[in-house]
Amino acid sequence: MSLESLYQELILDHSKRPHGFGLAEADDHTGTSYQRNPICGDEVTLRVRVSEDGQTIRDVTWEGQGCSISQASASMLVDLIDGVPREKAAELIDGFREALRSRGTIELDEDVYEDAAALSGVSKFSARVKCAMLAWVALEEGLAQTS
Amino acid sequence: MSLESLYQELILDHSKRPHGFGLAEADDHTGTSYQRNPICGDEVTLRVRVSEDGQTIRDVTWEGQGCSISQASASMLVDLIDGVPREKAAELIDGFREALRSRGTIELDEDVYEDAAALSGVSKFSARVKCAMLAWVALEEGLAQTS
Amino acid sequence: MTVPAVTPLDLAAIRADFPLLAQEVNGHPLAYLDSAATSQKPQQVIDAEVEFLTHTNAAVHRGAHTLAAESTDAFEDAREAVAAFVGAGEGELVWTSGATAGINLVAYAIGNATLGRGGEAARRFALRPDDEIVVTESEHHANLIPWQELAARTGARLRHIPVLDDGRLDMDAAAELIGDRTRIVAFPHVSNVLGIINPIDDLMALARSADAITVMDACQSVPHLSIGLPATGVDFAVFSGHKMLGPYGIGGLYGKRELLNALPPFLTGGSMITTVTLDEAQYLPSPQRFEAGTQPVSQAVGLAAAARYLQELGMDAVHAHEVELERRMRDGLREIPGIRLLGDTDAAPRVGLAAFAVDGVHAHDVGQFLDSRGVAVRVGHHCAQPLHRRFGLTASVRASASVYTTPDEVDRFLDATGGVRAFFGAS
Amino acid sequence: MTVPAVTPLDLAAIRADFPLLAQEVNGHPLAYLDSAATSQKPQQVIDAEVEFLTHTNAAVHRGAHTLAAESTDAFEDAREAVAAFVGAGEGELVWTSGATAGINLVAYAIGNATLGRGGEAARRFALRPDDEIVVTESEHHANLIPWQELAARTGARLRHIPVLDDGRLDMDAAAELIGDRTRIVAFPHVSNVLGIINPIDDLMALARSADAITVMDACQSVPHLSIGLPATGVDFAVFSGHKMLGPYGIGGLYGKRELLNALPPFLTGGSMITTVTLDEAQYLPSPQRFEAGTQPVSQAVGLAAAARYLQELGMDAVHAHEVELERRMRDGLREIPGIRLLGDTDAAPRVGLAAFAVDGVHAHDVGQFLDSRGVAVRVGHHCAQPLHRRFGLTASVRASASVYTTPDEVDRFLDATGGVRAFFGAS
Ligand SMILES: Cc1ncc(COP(=O)(O)O)c(C=O)c1O
Ligand SMILES: Cc1ncc(COP(=O)(O)O)c(C=O)c1O
């Protein structure tokens, strides 16, 4: 595995100019989760807002600090998840987790995962999988609070 | 090391007909020590009586149960130590300990140790050294109470 | 006990895997009959550890570099393999340094809960004075003293299920003992002295009706039986690597995941926390919560190799082999005058070991005599003083088998044992 | 710091002893600079363990048979060798599964004394509410959380000696902190992040004037310095085998004999008792008192081989070698723009490690980049979150040397580090 396949341009770009950075106000329709990678101390606080009927994701905002993988992953998640139905989000999270844990055997589909598909390469670096998962686990937990 | 050099006739004889078995009454001139081998549960309770002036050993009695080495060693000690000056007893104990811990490099002198010299072979069986030492440690502790 | 039909073990092939067994002792081929104390290790286990140490070795869960990642993978793969061997699921297998450490972990963690550690979730573990902890009279000290100490620290009372003359647990007494006050029931799956497989379903039924926490000492069963720990229903179970063809310094604690995550930590330090300030720490879930500090990484890899080795033999075949040897041992010992077997009953299933006393000859002397014939057995109280006291003994002789033990070794053991009383002139 | 004149290490010969170091990583020769996390093991250590397992292996302190006796001798000889390495006398070296376990042992034993265990002799250890335990801000979690937990269980208060901007301990603050209420002072001999050798004589003087129990974390000093633990005056000290060229799963607890014999046991189980009834147990003196259950026997043999290996190199030569590498690392890092060294002072003696942050690039990314060049470093908080917080960081990069580290490896590390910011476009 080359370093360049891990740190694709797209990833470095997202990590430097992250989308959705800065937490929106909390209200009755938001769920918030704080996740931390115990190994390196990387952290993400992510807030997800759902529609009135709870069925659709309205927006995702977050704050945190960490390596370029964890920051880019959060940023890419924001792009992907905004406006998506709740069920679809759960599927996306599951698929993302499966691919990341696959030790390089499952590629994320670009048509489905958009920019986040660039994170496929992380699955070959098992020590970095947690970094990429941080925001997605936060989303999962945040969503669970909004049901 | 052959089994026969460990279990000499003399040792088996002493173990079957031990000398000094049966505790004498305790009084102002006696010291008593209980010793136990934690590995096998062998135990010896030994009582030593000293002369009025405390300088000479008057008699040694004991009770206990255990392997033939531990029983024979106590019995041989009784023969050797009865009537010996306190200081001499301490020397004998030290010499015995040194020989037993020598892993076969030091032989006990028959002229000094009498029957107990037959225990020299035990020093080559490191797992059995504790068995042979049991009564001697008890004597050391018992004597310390009579000073 | 009915033994399922299985392919018998290929003993010649197995023995070729154990380099130590080929040696001579005192001029005789070694007959190693002390496997219940510690087993020998096949070349596969040694090789797995050496391979790890010479090609992969680095700190796990801690670095981004290649060797660290490979080591972490090897370490967690090992956990999966050992967990699978005992049927444990994710988060249910904690590495310990051995069974003793595992039981202490549970006992101290309960003690910590009693002192208010672990917050709300841990309340269910807290003991009150007059709560009762029930053990058996056949306990190895490892599953006895930690509970004595916990009782002494918390004011709980320790009670015990007596052993019958034939070595079985007195289950009537157990039914009386285990009741409303019982908070913990700790028991051995298999006694390391009697070789009897205890009726754990009955014990579990009693414990469940009392809503007690159950702790099973599986030291002498995991290496010898096909066992699925979750299916037994026990809350916690422990075993040691060195008794199951694996390395020293490693063992497993199985626990129901929900319980492990509610239990406060025991050992604290690195790699088991999320956030640490100078004043307090937040703990990771199981298993990391209980794995403070650098873990026995190469040993985990070795233990996984041991589990795979056993799995390939097939635990049913292992058990059938060992039961046959036990039968041979016990039948043979019964023929020798002046032998008193401990737990000599056919009314209970067993593993491959036999403990006995020789009339007029101390166990230590018996062991020494057998050793001079190349036969290695264990003598002493086998860390079960109360059980020996129960039978009026301070020490016994124990012969125990493993996958590599041959009928011929058993015969040599029997033959030598037959000569003991004559040598020592016991009448 | 003055370095004594010593024969320099023969690096080529040393490297030939470490099979793992010969490999390539990501197309580059491996430069293993993560020895402070865990060291690599020389063939001599691996061979000693394999030799034991294939020729001697049996349960120790427990049997009369030949292998058991030989194993016991090997185990106790190993203790003597490791004790000699750190200057410990008879009964002063307790085997543990590692430094973390050693510190927990002391902390829990003190907790047990506080709960009344250990009788009269143990009273001196009992803590009262408002007693104080003093640690440092530079602690590894292993020497912090056990004391937090002990404080939480006993009502004692935890206090800490702050770290100055340059990484040294604030000894003025220490002099203020340590006083009448201080019962325990725990400190690292060498910080695993800063590499600074702390002024332990001064700390000991303060602790002694307060009559406090002293506990030294010697994890990062024993592998790197010539050290006689009794001469330091500390009451207890711990170290880990795997950081000193030895196996995982073993470490040492040094303690003054008289204190060890007064301390109540921690782990309980087999082989640490004299008499056990169903209700209570009597304990052996140190070291057995603290060695419940089957010990890491082959690992003890391996650790003794590691101690002999280091002794043959000469610890003064080892230290001189590592100090030179440290100098080279730190000098080189100072030249690279955007690097912030932690504890970059020449006012304190040091061991061979350097930790730093790279401006605009997260430590994880730095580590990944270096790994792609074959350079293995550690990234993260190195189990010292409070110390990182002190410097306003959550993570850093640490390069650390051992006996086998070459100047060339350091240069390759420096070279690679010089390219980090450009790769990640940090401005
Ligand atoms: C200073 C220090 N203390 C304690 C420890 C803990 O040692 P172990 O993980 O071997 O128990 C370490 C190593 O991680 C250390 O560097
Ligand atoms: C039944 C039983 N329980 C517990 C133990 C303790 O295991 P370890 O010494 O490996 O911790 C043993 C072995 O000695 C045992 O046979």
Side-chain angles (χ1 to χ4, degrees):
Chain A
M1 277 302 301
S2 80
L3 196 67
E4 285 69 21
S5 74
L6 178 65
Y7 292 114
Q8 295 175 31
E9 234 9 80
L10 200 58
I11 293 179
L12 293 181
D13 284 351
H14 268 280
S15 79
K16 270 178 228 141
R17 280 166 294 276
H19 306 172
F21 198 91
L23 280 186
E25 288 278 291
D27 62 35
D28 284 359
H29 299 289
T30 60
T32 309
S33 166
Y34 168 77
Q35 294 294 325
R36 187 179 164 93
N37 183 342
I39 295 167
C40 54
D42 287 5
E43 42 193 15
V44 161
T45 306
L46 181 145
R47 182 160 295 148
V48 55
R49 180 191 316 277
V50 294
S51 57
E52 296 267 312
D53 66 357
Q55 290 314 303
T56 312
I57 291 170
R58 278 283 161 262
D59 68 54
V60 177
T61 55
W62 63 284
E63 273 174 12
Q65 53 172 343
C67 65
S68 54
I69 306 289
S70 68
Q71 304 296 291
S73 182
S75 170
M76 290 162 160
L77 175 149
V78 167
D79 291 356
L80 179 67
I81 253 29
D82 267 352
V84 157
R86 169 190 288 274
E87 270 171 29
K88 173 81 181 155
E91 269 172 40
L92 287 169
I93 294 170
D94 286 346
F96 188 78
R97 179 182 284 121
E98 199 189 344
L100 269 280
R101 288 192 182 167
S102 75
R103 297 192 184 179
T105 60
I106 303 177
E107 284 275 321
L108 290 164
D109 184 343
E110 243 188 273
D111 292 340
V112 180
Y113 280 92
E114 303 174 9
D115 283 4
L119 293 166
S120 290
V122 176
S123 79
K124 286 177 203 139
F125 295 84
S126 59
R128 309 305 297 275
V129 171
K130 274 211 181 106
C131 312
M133 286 303 305
L134 217 52
W136 300 68
V137 173
L139 173 64
E140 195 170 40
E141 281 208 8
L143 268 180
Q145 295 163 18
T146 63
S147 57
Chain B
M1 277 302 300
S2 80
L3 196 67
E4 285 69 20
S5 74
L6 178 65
Y7 292 114
Q8 295 174 31
E9 236 5 83
L10 200 57
I11 292 178
L12 293 182
D13 284 350
H14 269 280
S15 80
K16 268 178 233 144
R17 282 166 292 276
H19 306 172
F21 199 91
L23 280 186
E25 288 280 292
D27 62 34
D28 285 358
H29 299 288
T30 60
T32 308
S33 165
Y34 168 76
Q35 293 294 325
R36 188 181 164 92
N37 182 343
I39 295 166
C40 55
D42 287 4
E43 43 192 15
V44 161
T45 307
L46 181 144
R47 181 161 297 150
V48 55
R49 181 191 316 276
V50 293
S51 57
E52 297 267 311
D53 67 357
Q55 290 315 305
T56 312
I57 291 170
R58 279 283 161 260
D59 67 56
V60 177
T61 54
W62 63 284
E63 272 174 14
Q65 54 172 342
C67 66
S68 54
I69 306 288
S70 69
Q71 305 296 292
S73 182
S75 171
M76 291 162 161
L77 175 149
V78 166
D79 291 356
L80 179 66
I81 258 15
D82 267 352
V84 158
R86 170 189 288 274
E87 271 171 27
K88 174 77 181 160
E91 271 171 39
L92 287 169
I93 295 169
D94 286 348
F96 188 79
R97 179 182 283 119
E98 200 189 343
L100 268 280
R101 287 192 183 166
S102 75
R103 297 191 183 180
T105 60
I106 302 178
E107 283 276 322
L108 290 164
D109 184 343
E110 243 189 271
D111 293 341
V112 179
Y113 281 93
E114 305 172 9
D115 283 5
L119 294 165
S120 291
V122 177
S123 78
K124 287 176 202 139
F125 294 85
S126 59
R128 307 306 297 276
V129 172
K130 273 208 183 107
C131 312
M133 285 303 305
L134 216 53
W136 301 68
V137 172
L139 174 63
E140 195 170 39
E141 283 208 6
L143 268 180
Q145 296 164 14
T146 64
S147 56
Chain C
M1 130 143 241
T2 61
V3 176
V6 290
T7 338
L9 299 183
D10 179 348
L11 273 182
I14 291 175
R15 288 186 74 89
D17 291 333
F18 290 81
L20 183 136
L21 296 176
Q23 71 188 287
E24 294 216 331
V25 164
N26 294 319
H28 299 269
L30 168 66
Y32 185 76
L33 294 174
D34 197 15
S35 294
T38 199
S39 66
Q40 297 303 335
K41 292 104 188 51
Q43 196 62 48
Q44 287 85 337
V45 166
I46 295 170
D47 288 349
E49 213 177 325
V50 170
E51 168 70 21
F52 175 84
L53 289 175
T54 50
H55 289 92
T56 314
N57 178 53
V60 305
H61 287 309
R62 293 187 169 188
H65 63 81
T66 300
L67 292 181
E70 286 175 7
S71 291
T72 304
D73 289 346
F75 180 64
E76 291 302 332
D77 287 352
R79 190 195 304 273
E80 244 177 68
V82 175
F85 184 71
V86 296
E90 213 182 312
E92 294 189 333
L93 182 73
V94 175
W95 297 122
T96 67
S97 60
T100 301
I103 297 166
N104 276 275
L105 187 165
V106 177
Y108 270 104
I110 291 173
N112 289 344
T114 304
L115 290 170
R117 306 302 298 155
E120 201 48 47
R123 277 263 191 91
R124 61 204 284 185
F125 297 110
L127 297 176
R128 290 162 302 254
D130 297 327
D131 278 353
E132 293 183 351
I133 302 169
V134 174
V135 297
T136 79
E137 199 177 10
S138 66
E139 232 55 71
H140 187 284
H141 296 162
N143 203 26
L144 174 60
I145 314 182
W147 305 116
Q148 291 179 347
E149 288 289 324
L150 178 63
R153 290 198 305 272
T154 58
R157 265 170 43 117
L158 189 70
R159 310 202 57 185
H160 66 272
I161 302 170
V163 163
L164 298 170
D165 285 343
D166 72 358
R168 289 179 303 152
L169 292 178
D170 184 341
M171 293 301 292
D172 293 337
E176 300 258 303
L177 265 173
I178 297 172
D180 282 355
R181 294 192 156 162
T182 309
R183 296 293 308 288
I184 300 169
V185 181
F187 56 86
H189 192 180
V190 173
S191 153
N192 68 314
V193 177
L194 306 168
I196 291 175
I197 304 174
N198 285 317
I200 60 169
D201 289 347
D202 300 342
L203 283 167
M204 284 303 300
L206 291 173
R208 237 188 315 256
S209 72
D211 212 13
I213 298 162
T214 47
V215 183
M216 183 165 84
D217 175 355
C219 255
Q220 298 290 350
S221 54
V222 165
H224 305 295
L225 305 175
S226 172
I227 182 174
L229 291 173
T232 64
V234 294
D235 294 323
F236 301 101
V238 300
F239 54 95
S240 280
H242 71 98
K243 290 184 198 282
M244 53 182 283
L245 316 185
Y248 289 102
I250 190 157
L253 164 68
Y254 160 82
K256 287 185 183 154
R257 180 141 51 135
E258 174 230 358
L259 290 181
L260 285 174
N261 283 331
L263 202 62
F266 166 45
L267 299 180
T268 56
S271 304
M272 45 90 66
I273 48 80
T274 52
T275 308
V276 180
T277 67
L278 281 162
D279 296 314
E280 59 169 13
Q282 248 103 51
Y283 301 108
L284 283 166
S286 167
Q288 274 74 33
R289 156 182 310 213
F290 301 105
E291 296 179 352
T294 303
Q295 294 298 296
V297 183
S298 65
Q299 289 86 352
V301 170
L303 184 54
R308 277 189 214 103
Y309 187 90
L310 286 170
Q311 204 123 48
E312 269 169 41
L313 296 181
M315 289 309 288
D316 288 331
V318 166
H319 182 52
H321 170 70
E322 292 172 3
V323 160
E324 203 178 297
L325 294 174
E326 190 272 338
R327 195 69 266 173
R328 196 180 190 97
M329 273 192 235
R330 207 148 42 94
D331 284 348
L333 287 168
R334 279 172 169 162
E335 303 280 303
I336 304 173
I339 295 275
R340 176 178 165 211
L341 277 156
L342 304 189
D344 184 17
T345 175
D346 294 320
R350 328 177 59 99
V351 300
L353 68 86
F356 58 97
V358 179
D359 207 22
V361 186
H362 189 274
H364 241 171
D365 294 323
V366 177
Q368 198 77 56
F369 181 84
L370 295 185
D371 185 58
S372 76
R373 270 61 176 165
V375 178
V377 296
R378 172 112 185 256
V379 299
H381 50 61
H382 319 309
C383 298
Q385 286 186 15
L387 182 63
H388 278 81
R389 206 170 289 119
R390 163 70 180 83
F391 290 114
L393 297 169
T394 54
S396 67
V397 181
R398 182 185 68 189
S400 55
S402 183
V403 296
Y404 41 70
T405 308
T406 65
D408 182 56
E409 288 176 312
V410 170
D411 292 346
R412 284 182 45 221
F413 152 72
L414 291 170
D415 193 47
T417 304
V420 164
R421 296 182 76 236
F423 180 86
F424 289 101
S427 47
Chain D
M1 131 141 239
T2 61
V3 175
V6 290
T7 339
L9 300 183
D10 178 349
L11 273 182
I14 291 175
R15 287 185 74 89
D17 291 333
F18 290 81
L20 183 137
L21 297 176
Q23 72 188 287
E24 293 214 334
V25 164
N26 294 319
H28 300 269
L30 168 66
Y32 184 76
L33 294 174
D34 197 14
S35 294
T38 199
S39 67
Q40 298 302 336
K41 293 103 188 53
Q43 196 62 48
Q44 287 86 335
V45 167
I46 295 170
D47 287 348
E49 213 176 325
V50 170
E51 168 69 22
F52 175 84
L53 289 175
T54 50
H55 289 91
T56 313
N57 180 52
V60 305
H61 289 308
R62 293 189 170 188
H65 63 81
T66 300
L67 293 181
E70 286 175 7
S71 291
T72 305
D73 289 346
F75 181 63
E76 291 303 332
D77 287 351
R79 191 195 303 274
E80 244 178 68
V82 175
F85 184 71
V86 295
E90 214 183 311
E92 295 189 332
L93 182 73
V94 175
W95 297 122
T96 66
S97 61
T100 301
I103 296 166
N104 277 274
L105 187 165
V106 177
Y108 269 104
I110 291 174
N112 288 345
T114 304
L115 290 171
R117 305 304 297 154
E120 201 48 48
R123 278 264 191 89
R124 60 204 286 185
F125 297 110
L127 297 176
R128 291 163 300 255
D130 296 327
D131 279 351
E132 293 183 351
I133 302 170
V134 174
V135 297
T136 78
E137 199 177 12
S138 66
E139 232 55 70
H140 186 283
H141 297 161
N143 202 26
L144 173 61
I145 313 182
W147 304 116
Q148 290 178 349
E149 287 289 324
L150 178 63
R153 290 197 307 270
T154 59
R157 265 170 42 117
L158 189 70
R159 310 200 58 184
H160 66 272
I161 303 170
V163 162
L164 298 170
D165 285 343
D166 71 359
R168 288 179 303 151
L169 292 178
D170 184 341
M171 292 303 291
D172 293 338
E176 300 257 304
L177 265 174
I178 298 173
D180 282 354
R181 294 193 154 160
T182 310
R183 295 292 309 286
I184 299 169
V185 181
F187 55 87
H189 192 181
V190 173
S191 153
N192 68 315
V193 176
L194 306 167
I196 290 175
I197 303 175
N198 285 318
I200 61 170
D201 290 347
D202 300 343
L203 284 167
M204 284 303 301
L206 291 173
R208 234 187 316 257
S209 71
D211 213 12
I213 298 162
T214 46
V215 183
M216 184 164 84
D217 175 354
C219 255
Q220 298 291 350
S221 54
V222 165
H224 304 297
L225 304 175
S226 171
I227 181 176
L229 290 174
T232 65
V234 294
D235 293 323
F236 301 102
V238 300
F239 55 95
S240 279
H242 71 98
K243 289 185 198 281
M244 54 183 283
L245 317 185
Y248 288 102
I250 189 157
L253 164 68
Y254 159 82
K256 288 186 182 154
R257 181 143 51 133
E258 175 230 357
L259 290 181
L260 285 175
N261 283 331
L263 202 62
F266 165 46
L267 300 181
T268 56
S271 304
M272 45 90 67
I273 49 81
T274 53
T275 309
V276 180
T277 66
L278 280 161
D279 296 314
E280 58 169 14
Q282 249 102 50
Y283 302 107
L284 282 166
S286 167
Q288 274 74 32
R289 157 182 309 215
F290 301 105
E291 295 178 352
T294 302
Q295 294 297 297
V297 183
S298 64
Q299 289 86 354
V301 170
L303 183 53
R308 278 190 213 100
Y309 188 89
L310 286 169
Q311 204 122 48
E312 267 167 42
L313 296 182
M315 288 310 288
D316 287 332
V318 166
H319 182 51
H321 169 70
E322 292 171 5
V323 159
E324 203 177 298
L325 294 173
E326 190 273 339
R327 192 72 267 171
R328 195 179 190 99
M329 274 191 231
R330 208 148 40 94
D331 284 349
L333 287 168
R334 278 172 170 162
E335 303 280 302
I336 303 173
I339 295 276
R340 176 178 164 210
L341 277 157
L342 304 189
D344 183 16
T345 174
D346 292 322
R350 327 177 60 99
V351 300
L353 69 84
F356 58 97
V358 179
D359 208 23
V361 187
H362 189 274
H364 241 170
D365 295 323
V366 177
Q368 198 78 55
F369 181 83
L370 296 184
D371 184 58
S372 75
R373 270 62 175 166
V375 178
V377 296
R378 172 112 184 256
V379 299
H381 51 62
H382 319 309
C383 298
Q385 285 185 17
L387 182 62
H388 278 80
R389 205 170 290 121
R390 163 69 179 83
F391 290 114
L393 297 170
T394 54
S396 67
V397 182
R398 181 183 70 188
S400 55
S402 183
V403 296
Y404 41 71
T405 309
T406 65
D408 182 58
E409 288 176 313
V410 170
D411 292 347
R412 283 182 46 220
F413 152 71
L414 291 169
D415 193 48
T417 305
V420 165
R421 298 182 77 235
F423 179 86
F424 289 101
S427 46

